[in-house]
């Protein structure tokens, strides 16, 4: 069996198991390629019936406008239900304060926890992959979270065969990761095979960017460029889409899915290493954020 | 250090033919992490930022060459203790195959992680240090591989550089291991002499062992058959979800085929109720097909309007398992709280979860040779043993020797939902009296 067909079958199996076991599933949808692929798989899993759960987007307020437009187009095209949790609203309510570096990525955790609590979601689909980062290599497919959304590696249940234990106590929920066994290359190959549309910023385009910490960041009112940084036009694309303040672009001429696949296969940097400032903070940055309830 | 083979990037962009899931096991310091690091590194799956991090960490520890073991070192607690304490999954690809590597720890108290890693593995690499040969840990790891019926065993005899790359020490380890494997009912073993540190026979053929004419470790991983179950296994289809497309559409039964092949026109029975019907359509995630096989996810339609729900099992009428309420199984206990006779548990089998009573725990199996010893009615964490369960509703089980998917189950604590125990229907392989029957069915 072709490996894409096999991991597709596995992901669909995981999604159907979670929906079979949970009362209130929800799918985290950012418009990023992993969440787009996850949505595609979820729609296939229940076709021809409509998707039996809503989407949730934690909007930092620093999202790329192109990505938000894409999100809304997808939601309208497939008649989906979308909840949006706004980081700005939590800041306005005084639950959160802006960080000095302008990054709102760490603030998402709070909004996610709050939305899960408010809607009593008990299975939250995330697009995280084990190949992304060391702490994720040990993540379960069904990852148990306590009432505070926290992840305790020692409390995680062993997962054997294809048996996922979805039982949880009151207030606890599961993060479910259907793409656990996918790599970045698999995601792109699947996008190609299934002709999945992605936001345009994944492909090479001209953009006003400036250099910070060795990354190309998009100029914008979130806090850049500073006086000592200067914006210039470059041909770039994004390998991940997130908060504009910490998601860097790479210089690239890849304008098609095929060209992106060739570029990734040849690339010598992981996608997080290349473009995510939040993982550069320390060797255990991801592990620490997961303990606090990050995806 | 052998240079990276440098596969052309182009080759990796094509969709690899198939996927192989494998696990590695070895005692502490046999070189498991080094081997995993070497596979990732030499297949060019290690990217420059990861390598830079490893070089940095190696320098910080006063090492002159990068320690590839650090590539697969996971959580902080482990880094502090310097040992691997949980199953970590790694991914790499060659132009021929995509690989999922379950990196399982060698430490004594973590049998449960080995069992976990082995449960989905189609191949297990058992690593030994050529100077030490078969040690207690080797026996345990081989016993787990036999118990979990991992289809292929690969003995990697490591550190050949420390015995001047001579054949005799290698052959001695292989002979000892082959005898062990046979006693555990494992019919076939492949053995490869390697130096994980230097890369000999891992990805590139060694130039220092002329006497060895076999494949490199990666060659073997790339060519071993990936099919987990024998082709003649009867079909098993646990229903995960009933798709109801509006008022007029016909119901679809969504699930993943766990064994065998299903065809349009098959006469099937829906268990445990035992109703019968005919498969009228198979939808392979958007494509109508005439047949589909494990491990595909599909949805089925049946000719008759039956009452089918999540938890039911669809199987061919003429080769269906007989649902039973008495389950005899070999288990590995996974939880810190012991499992005791009389315990009320939940059994999760395929997509069905039912209450059950642990009626007997007659036997513990010693972890080195799976020999039965008295269990005195309880099993502790990491114990292997036999249990008898009485379930509240009948379960359509197969012997694990015939189907790893339909013959396996979990025991769950009804109070807090913890996963307690991993279960395999039937007797362990290689144990007195039963080896014939079990092997006849599995191979
Ligand atoms: N001489 C030699 N040393 C090796 C070889 N493979 C691993 N080692 C060393 O053995 C030690 C333990 O290796 P490691 O991979 O951490 O073992 P693990 O505990 O099984 O993961 C380290 O010092 C390695 O450098 C080998 O092929 N030859």
């Amino acid at each position: 069996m072709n490996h894409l067909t096999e991991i597709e079958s596995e992901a669909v199996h995981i999604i159907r198991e979670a929906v079979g076991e949970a009362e209130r599933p929800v799918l985290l949808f950012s418009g990023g390629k992993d969440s787009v692929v996850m949505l595609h798989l979820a729609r296939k899993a229940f076709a021809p019936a409509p998707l039996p759960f809503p989407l949730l987007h934690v909007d930092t307020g620093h999202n790329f406008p192109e990505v938000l437009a894409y999100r809304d187009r997808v939601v309208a095209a497939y008649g989906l239900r979308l909840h949006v949790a706004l980081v700005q609203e939590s800041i306005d309510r005084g639950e959160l304060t802006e960080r000095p570096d302008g990054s709102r990525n760490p603030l998402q955790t709070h909004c996610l926890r709050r939305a899960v609590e408010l809607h009593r979601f008990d299975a939250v689909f995330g697009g995280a992959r084990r190949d992304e980062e060391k702490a994720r290599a040990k993540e379960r497919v069904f990852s148990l979270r306590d009432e505070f959304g926290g992840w305790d590696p020692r409390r995680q249940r062993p997962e054997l065969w294809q048996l996922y234990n979805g039982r949880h106590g009151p207030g606890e929920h599961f993060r479910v990761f259907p793409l656990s066994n996918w790599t970045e290359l698999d995601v792109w190959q699947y996008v190609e095979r299934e002709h999945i549309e992605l936001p345009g910023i994944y492909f090479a385009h001209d953009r006003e960017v400036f250099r910070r910490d060795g990354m190309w960041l998009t100029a914008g009112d979130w806090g850049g460029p500073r006086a000592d940084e200067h914006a210039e036009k470059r041909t770039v694309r994004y390998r991940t889409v997130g908060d504009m303040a910490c998601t860097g672009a790479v210089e690239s001429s890849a304008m098609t899915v095929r060209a992106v696949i060739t570029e990734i296969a040849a690339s010598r940097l992981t996608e997080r290493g290349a473009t995510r400032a939040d993982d550069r903070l320390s060797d255990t940055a991801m592990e620490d954020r997961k303990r606090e309830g990050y995806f | 250090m052998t240079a990276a083979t440098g596969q052309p990037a182009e080759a990796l962009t094509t969709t690899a033919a198939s996927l192989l899931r494998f696990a590695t096991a070895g005692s502490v310091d046999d070189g498991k992490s080094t081997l995993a690091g070497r596979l990732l590194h030499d297949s060019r799956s290690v990217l420059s930022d990861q390598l830079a991090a490893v070089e940095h960490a190696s320098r910080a520890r006063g090492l002159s060459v990068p320690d590839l073991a650090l590539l697969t070192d996971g959580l902080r607690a482990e880094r502090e203790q310097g040992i691997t304490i949980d199953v970590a999954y790694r991914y790499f690809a060659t132009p021929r195959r995509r690989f999922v590597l379950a990196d399982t720890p060698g430490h004594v108290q973590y049998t449960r992680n080995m069992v976990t890693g082995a449960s989905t593995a189609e191949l297990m690499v058992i690593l030994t240090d050529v100077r030490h040969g078969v040690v207690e840990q080797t026996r345990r790891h081989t016993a787990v591989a036999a118990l979990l019926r991992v289809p292929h065993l690969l003995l990697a005899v490591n550190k050949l550089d420390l015995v001047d790359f001579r054949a005799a020490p290698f052959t001695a380890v292989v002979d000892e291991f082959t005898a062990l494997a046979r006693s555990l009912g494992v019919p076939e073993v492949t053995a490869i002499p390697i130096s994980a540190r230097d890369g000999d026979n891992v990805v590139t053929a060694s130039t220092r062992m002329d006497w060895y004419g076999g494949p490199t470790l990666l060659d073997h991983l790339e060519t071993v058959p990936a099919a987990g179950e024998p082709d003649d296994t009867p079909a098993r289809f646990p229903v995960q979800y009933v798709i109801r497309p509006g008022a007029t559409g016909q119901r679809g039964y969504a699930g993943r085929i766990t064994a065998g092949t299903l065809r349009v026109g098959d006469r099937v029975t829906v268990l445990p109720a035992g109703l019968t019907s005919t498969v009228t359509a198979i939808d392979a995630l958007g494509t109508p097909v005439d047949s589909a096989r494990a491990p595909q996810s599909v949805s089925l339609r049946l000719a008759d309007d039956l009452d089918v729900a999540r938890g039911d099992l669809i199987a061919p009428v003429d080769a269906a398992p007989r649902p039973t309420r008495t389950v005899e199984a070999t288990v590995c206990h996974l939880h810190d709280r012991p499992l005791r006779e009389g315990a009320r548990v939940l059994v999760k089998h395929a997509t069905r979860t039912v209450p059950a009573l642990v009626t007997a725990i007659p036997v513990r199996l010693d972890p080195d040779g799976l020999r039965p010893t008295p269990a005195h009615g309880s099993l502790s964490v990491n114990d292997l043993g036999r249990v008898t369960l009485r379930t509240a509703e009948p379960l359509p089980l197969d012997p694990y020797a015939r189907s790893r998917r339909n013959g396996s189950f979990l025991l769950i604590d009804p109070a807090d939902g913890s996963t307690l125990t991993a279960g395999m229907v039937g007797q362990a392989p290689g144990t007195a009296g039963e080896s014939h029957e079990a092997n006849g069915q599995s191979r």
Side-chain angles (χ1 to χ4, degrees):
Chain A
M1 182 178 297
N2 169 287
H3 93 273
L4 285 182
T5 303
E6 184 167 347
I7 57 179
E8 177 190 55
S9 280
E10 180 185 67
V12 165
H13 174 253
I14 292 164
I15 293 168
R16 287 168 170 171
E17 275 309 278
V19 171
E21 299 264 308
E23 277 164 30
R24 294 166 188 270
V26 69
L27 184 146
L28 293 178
F29 188 75
S30 62
K33 65 180 189 312
D34 299 323
S35 71
V36 171
V37 163
M38 198 166 51
L39 175 61
H40 182 86
L41 291 162
R43 290 184 49 242
K44 276 189 149 190
F46 302 101
L51 197 68
F53 47 80
L55 312 184
L56 170 65
H57 182 211
V58 181
D59 184 342
T60 60
H62 290 165
N63 287 290
F64 294 92
E66 301 91 323
V67 178
L68 292 182
Y70 170 90
R71 175 196 79 185
D72 294 337
R73 223 165 44 241
V74 167
V75 166
Y78 303 128
L80 306 171
R81 283 172 295 147
L82 172 73
H83 298 283
V84 179
L86 293 166
V87 169
Q88 188 61 50
E89 281 185 359
S90 290
I91 293 174
D92 294 346
R93 275 194 299 266
E95 300 162 6
L96 290 175
T97 47
E98 203 82 79
R99 289 159 48 101
D101 64 1
S103 168
R104 287 181 168 184
N105 245 28
L107 308 185
Q108 288 181 81
T109 305
H110 167 88
C111 294
L112 176 61
R113 279 200 308 242
R114 200 170 173 281
V116 167
E117 224 174 84
L118 187 71
H119 298 282
R120 289 183 289 129
F121 293 129
D122 58 352
V124 180
F125 291 109
R129 309 186 316 265
R130 286 177 181 148
D131 81 323
E132 281 179 88
E133 210 277 336
K134 279 186 296 210
R136 285 205 166 144
K138 308 200 165 186
E139 180 59 286
R140 301 302 192 270
V141 172
F142 274 44
S143 175
L144 184 62
R145 303 303 171 105
D146 61 23
E147 304 97 289
F148 311 104
W151 178 73
D152 177 356
R154 303 223 171 233
R155 263 195 80 204
Q156 298 307 315
R157 297 167 181 169
E159 285 179 341
L160 296 99
W161 299 290
Q162 301 168 0
L163 295 170
Y164 304 106
N165 174 358
R167 296 184 80 87
H168 58 82
E172 296 179 336
H173 74 274
F174 279 91
R175 302 279 166 84
V176 179
F177 301 113
L179 306 184
S180 285
N181 288 324
W182 294 47
T183 63
E184 184 186 20
L185 202 52
D186 294 332
V187 169
W188 280 101
Q189 288 178 342
Y190 189 70
V191 164
E192 181 180 50
R193 187 184 93 170
E194 301 284 304
H195 308 291
I196 299 172
E197 192 209 330
L198 292 178
I201 68 168
Y202 278 111
F203 304 97
H205 57 285
D206 289 337
R207 174 177 288 266
E208 280 285 292
V209 290
F210 65 92
R211 199 112 184 116
R212 181 181 292 176
D213 303 332
M215 297 190 301
W216 291 112
L217 297 182
T218 292
D221 53 13
W222 56 268
R226 301 191 198 105
D228 57 336
E229 298 162 332
H230 90 106
E232 55 190 291
K233 220 182 209 114
R234 291 270 165 171
T235 306
V236 297
R237 66 175 204 87
Y238 285 85
R239 285 176 76 179
T240 66
V241 306
D243 189 325
M244 283 197 281
C246 68
T247 308
V250 291
E251 287 194 82
S252 166
S253 57
M255 298 178 66
T256 61
V257 175
R258 186 85 304 247
V260 169
I261 291 174
T262 306
E263 187 186 283
I264 292 170
S267 162
R268 309 309 300 143
L269 278 184
T270 64
E271 72 192 305
R272 284 199 164 260
T275 63
R276 294 298 280 259
D278 42 352
D279 286 330
R280 297 175 157 198
L281 299 176
S282 83
D283 200 27
T284 56
M286 173 68 92
E287 187 181 336
D288 294 339
R289 277 182 294 141
K290 281 174 73 73
R291 285 177 189 274
E292 287 161 19
Y294 193 69
F295 313 122
Chain B
M1 191 179 273
T2 315
T5 50
Q7 290 166 10
E10 234 62 32
L12 289 178
T13 70
T14 56
T15 307
S18 59
L19 183 74
L20 183 81
R21 293 167 204 259
F22 73 105
T24 53
S27 355
V28 179
D29 285 346
D30 279 353
K32 204 162 49 63
S33 309
T34 309
L35 175 65
R38 165 99 12 228
L39 281 170
L40 297 178
H41 178 267
D42 287 3
S43 65
R44 294 212 343 169
S45 304
V46 181
L47 303 170
S48 58
D49 56 333
Q50 293 173 317
L51 203 57
V54 165
E55 279 163 2
H56 181 79
S58 301
R59 266 197 309 278
R61 293 180 180 197
L63 303 172
S64 57
V65 288
D67 182 356
L68 291 181
L70 294 176
L71 274 174
T72 59
D73 218 12
L75 302 181
R76 176 195 314 219
E78 295 176 346
R79 274 196 301 283
E80 283 163 4
Q81 293 164 30
I83 53 157
T84 322
I85 55 167
D86 202 348
V87 186
Y89 295 89
R90 315 285 167 195
Y91 304 85
F92 65 99
T94 68
R96 287 204 268 182
R97 217 172 228 180
R98 255 274 271 119
F99 296 95
V100 180
L101 160 59
D103 193 359
T104 63
H107 205 270
V108 196
Q109 65 204 90
Y110 292 108
T111 304
R112 78 170 158 199
N113 294 330
M114 274 260 341
V115 169
T116 303
S119 73
T120 50
E122 289 146 311
L123 179 146
M124 181 160 339
V125 179
I126 301 212
L127 208 64
T128 55
D129 183 324
V130 66
R131 296 168 303 167
H132 306 146
V134 172
V135 296
E136 188 193 16
Q137 288 296 300
T138 319
R139 294 179 190 286
R140 296 192 167 190
H141 296 148
T142 311
V144 168
L147 188 68
L148 274 286
R149 293 180 195 273
V150 178
H152 306 284
L153 266 198
L154 169 56
L155 174 71
V157 182
N158 191 26
K159 307 198 185 182
L160 265 283
D161 55 298
L162 297 181
V163 295
D164 300 323
F165 299 100
R166 282 179 300 120
F170 168 73
T171 313
V173 178
V174 174
D175 288 348
E176 200 183 349
F177 186 81
T178 306
L180 166 69
R182 198 171 301 129
S183 76
L184 289 164
V186 176
E188 168 232 298
V189 173
T190 303
I192 303 180
I194 64 167
S195 168
R197 197 194 57 186
D198 300 347
D200 293 75
N201 289 338
V202 178
V203 171
T204 32
S206 174
T207 54
R208 302 186 282 192
M209 288 182 260
D210 292 345
W211 49 268
Y212 175 73
T216 66
L217 197 135
L218 185 65
D219 282 337
H220 185 69
L221 294 177
E222 284 184 329
T223 51
V224 72
E229 311 260 327
D231 282 344
D232 55 355
T233 318
R236 300 289 183 253
F237 184 79
V239 176
Q240 288 189 277
Y241 190 86
V242 179
I243 297 173
R244 293 187 173 78
T248 51
Q250 211 195 337
R251 283 195 303 259
Y253 305 112
R256 191 175 193 193
I257 304 172
T258 52
T261 302
L262 273 174
R263 293 180 185 79
V264 171
D266 280 355
R267 290 287 299 159
V268 292
T269 175
V270 182
L271 299 170
L275 309 162
T276 58
S277 188
T278 303
V279 176
T280 54
I282 303 174
D283 180 87
L285 303 180
T287 313
V289 292
D290 292 331
S291 74
R293 65 186 180 88
Q296 267 181 284
S297 283
V298 297
S299 69
L300 302 184
R301 276 182 280 151
L302 300 181
D304 305 275
D305 189 17
L306 306 179
D307 183 17
V308 180
R310 172 173 168 82
D312 289 345
L313 182 84
I314 295 178
V317 169
D318 54 7
R322 188 145 31 94
T324 174
R325 289 184 54 203
T326 305
V327 184
E328 293 196 11
T330 307
V331 301
C332 174
H333 189 59
L334 308 166
H335 202 276
D336 290 335
R337 286 195 301 274
L339 184 72
R340 295 186 206 285
E341 270 175 16
R344 286 176 194 284
V345 294
L346 297 171
V347 178
K348 184 176 173 73
H349 168 250
T351 55
R352 176 176 289 262
T353 304
V354 301
L357 182 70
V358 179
T359 49
I361 307 182
V363 160
R364 239 195 78 171
L365 298 172
D366 89 82
D368 304 347
L370 305 182
R371 282 171 300 266
T373 57
H376 307 297
S378 93
L379 293 174
S380 306
V381 64
N382 294 309
D383 276 354
L384 307 174
R386 279 195 214 139
V387 305
T388 308
L389 309 168
R390 181 92 183 134
T391 62
E393 294 166 46
L395 291 175
L397 304 157
D398 283 303
Y400 187 75
R402 291 189 67 190
S403 171
R404 289 173 91 192
R405 297 278 177 250
N406 202 52
S408 51
F409 61 84
L410 300 178
L411 299 186
I412 294 172
D413 187 333
D416 68 359
S418 301
T419 297
L420 299 173
T421 309
M424 291 155 280
V425 177
Q427 304 281 6
T431 47
E434 287 90 26
S435 58
H436 263 338
E437 179 217 355
N439 288 334
Q441 283 175 333
S442 68
R443 318 276 175 187

